[in-house]
Amino acid sequence: MNVRVLRIELRRSVAPWAGVVVLTSALAFLYLVDAEWWRGTTAWTAQWTPLAMWTRSLLFYLWPLAVGLGALQGLRDHRSKMSELLTSTPRPAWHRAATLAGTTAITLASAFALLVLVGGVQVLADTEYTHLGWLPVSLVGALFLVAGAVLGMGAGRALPSALTPPALAMSAFVFTALMHMSLGRTETTTATGITRTEPNRVSLLSPAVQEVRDVLVTLSASVHVGQTIWLLGMATTGFALLVAATWRARLFALTPVLAGAVIALLVLPSDPRRMYVVDEAAAELVCDGPVCVTKTHQARLADLAGPGREALRLLHGALGGQAPVSVRENTAVLPDGAMPQWSRKTVLFDFDDGVIAAAKGEELTRALIAKGMVPGCTPVGWSGFGGDEFAQTVAAGWVLGDLRPLPGTQSAGVRREVDAATRPVWKELKALERAGQLSRINAMRAAALSCEGDPFDVLSGGASR
């Protein structure tokens, strides 16, 4: 397809509008909705992998749009009543189909590339860690749009009705919703009795990815391969339907998409831990003495090193040989509902933790001490406020010698709640002899690190406050 043909096809088709709709609706969704893609280390403009994952998550509704717009494009010859005239020309049917499909493919791929480019320019300004591990995620996302549009064109050509585009778009949307909510999820129960759902291999036939909760998480290579096989089958079926002239040929054209689905399911991993995996290169540690962060956040090491070393010094002065000896960004990625796992010798922290994220300078030292004393036992993916935060406040105050609210508790109402809960326990703890104080602190740390029991209850001598 030369440039002249491309220009003509762009003028007489809905392909340019398809690209405009995809790009503008995606940007409007990202910029007008205040949601998780603007927060913390997983913001869509913070790092390359979250950029790729968040833009892929938009395919939840962009892919059905592409399918519906493709079907509208496939109806063009039928609407213009030129089908018989075109079949009588010597130009091969596959040549006309390639021109039609190629134009739409170019515009949709370009629109998705521009979307990624808008975020990529901002990522370049925000991070020092540049890599290409995110690129397959985005390339497969663009292929989803192209394959969906080509399939829609073929279906529109095979079923020339005004109802075909909206019916296909709605069917595609229902498919993505079911993959995200029920058919694509498997329910399991943890050892602690917490029920959670995890994605299964069928969910990977959907264009969307699950919500981005960790900057280190990406899709595995086997997922990229399986999805590519599925999409090539989908695109082949769409192209075959564009060319097919008889019902027998149209039925035969369904073979590639069915075969692609079967082969893809054989290639796609069945274990959720092999679907969403840790990017080992991004998780590699960069250290300044005993203080370490991942390569992804290496730009933050300079601000963290001083407070981290000071926190370790103060903890050693308070706990002696029981104190942690290093500070390290937590690279463990656990499934939703799982209990976190902590180390006695290492202060593990997360930049998205509310206490750490709100702290700077001396306040960061207090925050790291609090995390070293009481890491927190809220199940992964859950949120709450209570015993762990109260215990952190008292424990950090015990190490530093003064009871003050932790960073992140700026609300007057929250400060009053924390003070009312912790002040009596603080006074009782300080009234004990040094040996008694240390005994309670060690018992509290044992409960906090094992996530067995309530650290604040232990700290208060077993009496709930």
Side-chain angles (χ1 to χ4, degrees):
M1 182 169 57
N2 58 39
V3 176
R4 178 174 173 273
V5 173
L6 176 61
R7 286 203 305 266
I8 294 173
E9 194 64 32
L10 287 173
R11 286 199 302 269
R12 63 194 294 265
S13 71
V14 300
W17 295 107
V20 169
V21 168
V22 165
L23 179 60
T24 56
S25 63
L27 290 175
F29 198 81
L30 287 170
Y31 280 98
L32 298 181
V33 179
D34 182 19
E36 292 301 318
W37 49 79
W38 283 112
R39 298 187 176 94
T41 61
T42 58
W44 81 289
T45 58
Q47 298 287 343
W48 290 104
T49 299
L51 164 66
M53 297 291 279
W54 278 122
T55 49
R56 270 289 297 273
S57 70
L58 295 180
L59 295 185
F60 184 86
Y61 77 92
L62 290 180
W63 186 69
L65 271 178
V67 173
L69 289 169
L72 184 63
Q73 178 80 313
L75 290 177
R76 186 182 65 183
D77 294 346
H78 176 75
R79 292 197 311 269
S80 60
K81 297 181 173 55
M82 293 178 58
S83 300
E84 293 184 4
L85 175 62
L86 291 173
T87 55
S88 65
T89 63
R91 189 182 182 189
W94 70 265
H95 194 253
R96 294 195 305 272
T99 302
L100 183 67
T103 305
T104 303
I106 290 172
T107 56
L108 287 176
S110 299
F112 193 75
L114 284 173
L115 173 65
V116 174
L117 181 62
V118 169
V121 171
Q122 298 173 77
V123 172
L124 277 174
D126 290 341
T127 183
E128 294 180 2
Y129 178 58
T130 302
H131 63 104
L132 295 178
W134 61 274
L135 194 55
V137 180
S138 293
L139 289 176
V140 173
L143 185 56
F144 258 110
L145 288 176
V146 171
V150 175
L151 181 66
M153 289 180 211
R157 178 70 62 85
L159 301 170
S161 167
L163 298 177
T164 299
L168 279 178
M170 183 56 66
S171 298
F173 182 77
V174 170
F175 172 77
T176 58
L178 291 176
M179 291 298 101
H180 185 72
M181 294 187 299
S182 57
L183 293 181
R185 310 289 296 185
T186 301
E187 187 175 286
T188 57
T189 303
T190 65
T192 57
I194 298 174
T195 300
R196 67 170 185 256
T197 62
E198 295 180 304
N200 56 41
R201 82 173 86 200
V202 176
S203 69
L204 298 176
L205 297 179
S206 168
V209 297
Q210 66 181 13
E211 184 177 322
V212 185
R213 291 183 177 171
D214 196 296
V215 68
L216 301 177
V217 172
T218 187
L219 293 170
S220 66
S222 57
V223 171
H224 299 320
V225 173
Q227 290 182 335
T228 299
I229 293 172
W230 157 238
L231 294 174
L232 291 177
M234 185 189 300
T236 302
T237 287
F239 190 80
L241 287 173
L242 275 175
V243 175
T246 65
W247 279 107
R248 178 176 295 181
R250 289 167 183 162
L251 289 175
F252 185 75
L254 299 177
T255 303
V257 70
L258 297 176
V262 171
I263 297 172
L265 290 173
L266 294 175
V267 173
L268 293 169
S270 58
D271 186 351
R273 285 173 291 278
R274 293 176 52 230
M275 300 175 189
Y276 294 89
V277 298
V278 174
D279 185 338
E280 298 295 341
E284 184 180 339
L285 293 178
V286 179
C287 300
D288 183 344
V291 181
C292 301
V293 299
T294 62
K295 186 177 288 186
T296 298
H297 295 133
Q298 59 190 1
R300 298 192 180 195
L301 182 58
D303 294 332
L304 184 73
R309 282 193 289 266
E310 179 65 9
L312 291 176
R313 185 187 68 80
L314 292 168
L315 285 169
H316 185 268
L319 300 174
Q322 298 296 316
V325 296
S326 63
V327 174
R328 178 168 62 83
E329 183 180 354
N330 192 3
T331 59
V333 177
L334 302 175
D336 285 355
M339 295 301 293
Q341 300 172 359
W342 306 116
S343 167
R344 182 175 293 274
K345 290 299 181 181
T346 303
V347 178
L348 295 173
F349 72 94
D350 190 325
F351 282 113
D352 282 329
D353 182 275
V355 175
I356 300 294
K360 293 181 179 179
E362 293 182 0
E363 288 296 295
L364 184 54
T365 298
R366 180 179 289 269
L368 290 171
I369 289 172
K371 297 300 291 183
M373 297 291 281
V374 184
C377 288
T378 303
V380 175
W382 294 29
S383 61
F385 185 85
D388 282 344
E389 288 73 23
F390 298 155
Q392 286 177 343
T393 301
V394 175
W398 179 79
V399 173
L400 294 169
D402 63 332
L403 183 67
R404 288 164 49 191
L406 293 174
T409 54
Q410 302 301 324
S411 166
V414 173
R415 283 175 176 265
R416 285 194 297 269
E417 180 184 354
V418 172
D419 188 71
T422 59
R423 185 68 60 178
V425 177
W426 165 258
K427 291 180 178 179
E428 180 181 325
L429 180 65
K430 295 297 287 184
L432 299 174
E433 295 182 356
R434 175 67 182 179
Q437 293 179 24
L438 192 57
S439 176
R440 281 206 187 175
I441 289 293
N442 286 333
M444 177 210 68
R445 285 195 75 217
L449 292 169
S450 65
C451 289
E452 295 179 0
D454 185 345
F456 189 59
D457 188 59
V458 174
L459 191 60
S460 61
S464 178
R465 289 291 193 271

